[in-house]
Amino acid sequence: MPPRSRHLLLLILVALPVAAVARIGGGKEEVEQAAACDAADEAASLRPDRLTVLLSGYSERRLPLLRAIAGAYAAHPLVLAVVVRWCNPSTPDRVLLRGGGGFPPGVTLRRAASPSLNSRFLPDASAIRTAAVAVADDDVLPDAAALSFAFAAWQQQQNQPSAPLVGFFPRSHHLDLAGRRWAYAAAEPGRYSMVLTKLMVLDTDLLFKYSCSPELAAARAVVDRERNCEDILMNFVAAEASGRGPVLVEAGSVRDWGDPRNDANAGAGEEDDGGALKDVGLSSVGGRGHWEKRGECITEFHRLLGRMPLRYSYGKVVEAAGGEQGLCSKGGRLVRCDRE
């Protein structure tokens, strides 16, 4: 072989490992994301008649409650699978698995490579075989009627290429003209533009769009930097895909252990302690700074994408007349969180 050819061959052989290293050089989180996106891209057809529930957990103090919530979802007749993504890499297996039997039958446990909030939206082709997923926090549990109604509301949106988000907890945004920025706000009466990941139902395809789109890489980095706002970014993704705002539903009841309006001793005498469970999650930032930070996220996502896809929705889909859905423990009783 001529010397020049030998040099060329050597360059090719050296370049191949470098390219391979470049793909995984970003760390375990990037490797996990790339593997999930590659598998989801080759996923088989998905069932439209059943639901997969995606739960994310971080706090070891919440594990007993998380196990109970996961078991309740797994028992629902419409739920095909429950996937718990554990986002605390430092938790020992013995604590998480509790001797190999940590979670009820029908619940799949996935350990995330990092505490990134983006992990809750990773596609999981081996576990998700349904066209819709319910994404929920580890301290929120709807009753059977509420989950069934939300899934039915999602099914009614299937005449469109992409369905909007369906959720129970609305929020809104508006333009702060004086500050020349977007502000995050509570939903106005009859008008909202986002629903929270406390509990939402969405197209499985949106997991791929969120996690695998190169255009969203900088926005996902904002989520990692702030340890917040993954739900806002998913609302951006869903609104962009559907061209519509989310759908707010009201049916049954939703127990919310994380709501700050619970009594300080909420859960006393129960298997959980609502008061002790506050402010121990991945994004446990409260108060005025929380709202301001989320407004900054909206502004930054708008800047990075170069457009504002959020759309306002009006009204809600209801099963029956009622007040706020979340249930809190007050005075030893479970009541609507908005009740004094």
Side-chain angles (χ1 to χ4, degrees), residues 1-333:
M1 181 180 296
R4 183 175 181 181
S5 299
R6 284 199 300 270
H7 293 160
L8 180 59
L9 179 59
L10 180 60
L11 286 172
I12 292 173
L13 291 175
V14 170
L16 286 175
V18 170
V21 171
R23 178 169 182 178
I24 64 174
K28 293 181 179 179
E29 182 183 343
E30 286 76 7
V31 174
E32 180 182 47
Q33 178 188 358
C37 292
D38 288 346
D41 198 32
E42 301 172 359
S45 58
L46 302 172
R47 293 184 57 169
D49 61 328
R50 301 288 290 279
L51 185 65
T52 300
V53 177
L54 305 181
L55 299 170
S56 58
Y58 178 85
S59 170
E60 294 172 15
R61 292 171 62 188
R62 283 182 177 174
L63 266 171
L65 179 60
L66 176 58
R67 292 186 181 107
I69 286 175
Y73 276 118
H76 195 290
L78 288 176
V79 173
L80 185 64
V82 178
V83 180
V84 173
R85 182 165 291 276
W86 188 253
C87 298
N88 188 344
S90 66
T91 301
D93 286 341
R94 59 178 174 76
V95 173
L96 196 55
L97 300 179
R98 204 172 56 186
F103 285 89
V107 179
T108 299
L109 177 65
R110 296 280 196 258
R111 295 203 64 150
S114 77
S116 171
L117 284 165
N118 290 313
S119 297
R120 73 186 310 179
F121 295 128
L122 278 177
D124 190 337
S126 64
I128 302 174
R129 296 297 182 186
T130 58
V133 295
V135 176
D137 283 354
D138 60 353
D139 56 3
V140 170
L141 179 64
D143 64 15
L147 186 62
S148 297
F149 191 78
F151 182 55
W154 173 84
Q155 288 180 312
Q156 291 174 0
Q157 310 297 321
Q158 293 310 293
N159 58 341
Q160 302 293 330
S162 182
L165 299 179
V166 175
F168 291 83
F169 299 90
R171 294 293 185 268
S172 192
H173 74 295
H174 65 267
L175 186 61
D176 178 359
L177 293 175
R180 300 172 62 86
R181 60 188 178 185
W182 292 102
Y184 175 79
E188 302 171 22
R191 191 177 86 153
Y192 53 95
S193 57
M194 293 173 278
V195 290
L196 301 181
T197 43
K198 278 176 175 282
L199 178 59
M200 63 165 62
V201 178
L202 60 148
D203 285 3
T204 299
D205 288 348
L206 291 178
L207 302 179
F208 184 86
K209 288 183 172 68
Y210 180 104
S211 299
C212 308
S213 170
E215 184 186 21
L216 295 176
R220 292 192 298 267
V222 171
V223 172
D224 282 335
R225 184 186 72 224
E226 302 299 339
R227 292 173 62 87
N228 205 327
C229 304
E230 84 288 355
D231 50 352
I232 294 176
L233 183 55
M234 177 54 84
N235 277 272
F236 268 67
V237 173
E240 176 91 345
S242 67
R244 292 183 289 166
V247 174
L248 178 64
V249 293
E250 183 178 296
S253 61
V254 181
R255 178 68 171 101
D256 186 357
W257 284 269
D259 193 297
R261 293 170 293 185
N262 279 287
D263 284 345
N265 62 344
E270 303 174 12
E271 64 176 310
D272 59 278
D273 184 348
L277 288 173
K278 298 175 188 176
D279 300 332
V280 294
L282 270 172
S283 55
S284 56
V285 180
R288 180 184 178 93
H290 172 71
W291 294 80
E292 292 178 349
K293 178 62 65 179
R294 288 167 71 80
E296 292 171 5
C297 285
I298 295 173
T299 302
E300 185 68 0
F301 293 155
H302 181 195
R303 185 188 69 81
L304 291 170
L305 295 177
R307 55 191 181 277
M308 170 48 74
L310 293 180
R311 298 288 183 271
Y312 289 108
S313 294
Y314 301 86
K316 56 188 172 183
V317 180
V318 300
E319 182 180 45
E324 183 175 318
Q325 305 241 46
L327 294 181
C328 291
S329 178
K330 298 186 178 185
R333 296 186 305 123

